[in-house]
Structures are given as C-alpha cells and as structure tokens.
Amino acid sequence: MIGLIIAIILFNIVAFATNKRLTINQIVHIWVFTGFFQGLADLYIDQKYHGYWYFSKDIEWASLLSITVLIPPVNMMFLNWYPFNASWLKKTLYFIYWLIFMLAYELIALLPEPWGYFNYGWWSLWYSLIVDPLLLFIVLSYYKWICKIEHNP
C-alpha cells in the first residue's frame, strides 16, 4: 500500500504540474474514460479470469485507488508530452519509452507488500508487453476524438 500511495501522489503532482496541453474538459474525459476502461478490463481479467489482481483476489476498496487516481494521471502525462507534430520515428520512440516505463512500474508494483500491491495469476510481463502499446494507442485515439469533437460540435 505504501508504494501505491507514493505513486498516486507522485503521478498526480507531475501530471498536473507539467500539464501544458490538456484542457479541463479533456482531463475530465481522460479521467472518466480511463476509469471506465480499466474497470471493465479488470472486471474480466481480474475478477472473472483471475489473470491478475490488486492486493488480494477479493474485491477490495483499496483496489479502486489504482483505477480512480493512479492510472488517469499517467494517461494525462502520456498525452501531455506526446509529440503530435513529430516524425513517425519520434512517435515510435515515445511509445517505446512509455512501454519501458510502464513495464518497469509493473515490476515495482509486483514487489511484496507494503511496497507492491499487484499480483499475477496467469498474467505475465509478456502479456503487458503486448497489451500496453495497444492501450496507449486507444488512449491516444480517444484523445484525438475528443479534440475533434471539441472543435466540430
């Protein structure tokens, strides 16, 4: 739990202190979308198929922290710093840097409590290596869609 609380505080401070791109409306959209999307994924992978879980295999209030206040600021940072006007090479490298960061954080979250809070069932880091770039692409696509809606109501 200590590691989760430190990460929540750190990620939120960095996300909000460095935000130069995202409007309040976009932040709310990303926050709600992230919570919904992660909650839906966790419902199946965590609860139904026991691929991974937070803290214990039971449904716990503490698990809500990762869905509601840990991952949304990470998505804010990803979008805020994304090189929209850069070459495909820079965009690809940006995805690779974020993938390395996400996998490293996942390894830290796997540490025993009190530092870690994440546990594997049949899930492994290899699945995250495959799924995480897709998740980043989905968040990026959602953000672009929200920007398009804002400019063409």
Side-chain angles (χ1 to χ4, degrees):
M1 186 70 135
I2 293 172
L4 177 61
I5 292 169
I6 291 170
I8 287 169
I9 293 168
L10 180 65
F11 292 165
N12 277 277
I13 288 172
V14 171
F16 284 98
T18 64
N19 180 39
K20 302 281 190 253
R21 171 177 289 150
L22 305 174
T23 65
I24 297 294
N25 183 51
Q26 292 166 350
I27 291 170
V28 170
H29 271 88
I30 294 304
W31 214 276
V32 172
F33 175 77
T34 301
F36 171 78
F37 195 65
Q38 184 175 353
L40 188 63
D42 287 352
L43 178 67
Y44 285 93
I45 299 171
D46 177 352
Q47 293 301 310
K48 182 170 179 151
Y49 297 114
H50 308 292
Y52 58 75
W53 56 90
Y54 307 98
F55 300 106
S56 72
K57 290 184 181 181
D58 297 326
I59 297 174
E60 298 178 326
W61 286 107
S63 300
L64 287 176
L65 292 174
S66 66
I67 295 170
T68 58
V69 291
L70 176 71
I71 304 302
V74 172
N75 286 341
M76 282 178 59
M77 289 185 287
F78 172 75
L79 293 169
N80 184 52
W81 301 329
Y82 186 80
F84 285 97
N85 297 320
S87 67
W88 280 102
L89 176 61
K90 286 188 180 180
K91 290 176 182 179
T92 302
L93 288 173
Y94 186 78
F95 263 80
I96 291 169
Y97 296 146
W98 270 91
L99 182 58
I100 291 167
F101 166 74
M102 291 167 69
L103 295 175
Y105 182 77
E106 188 169 318
L107 287 173
I108 292 168
L110 286 165
L111 290 172
E113 288 192 52
W115 299 105
Y117 63 94
F118 192 60
N119 300 282
Y120 283 155
W122 52 263
W123 194 265
S124 75
L125 203 60
W126 293 107
Y127 289 118
S128 295
L129 180 66
I130 294 166
V131 172
D132 286 353
L134 177 63
L135 296 175
L136 290 173
F137 180 74
I138 290 169
V139 167
L140 180 60
S141 298
Y142 182 77
Y143 173 74
K144 288 180 177 181
W145 180 61
I146 292 304
C147 288
K148 185 177 180 180
I149 290 172
E150 286 179 340
H151 291 108
N152 297 317

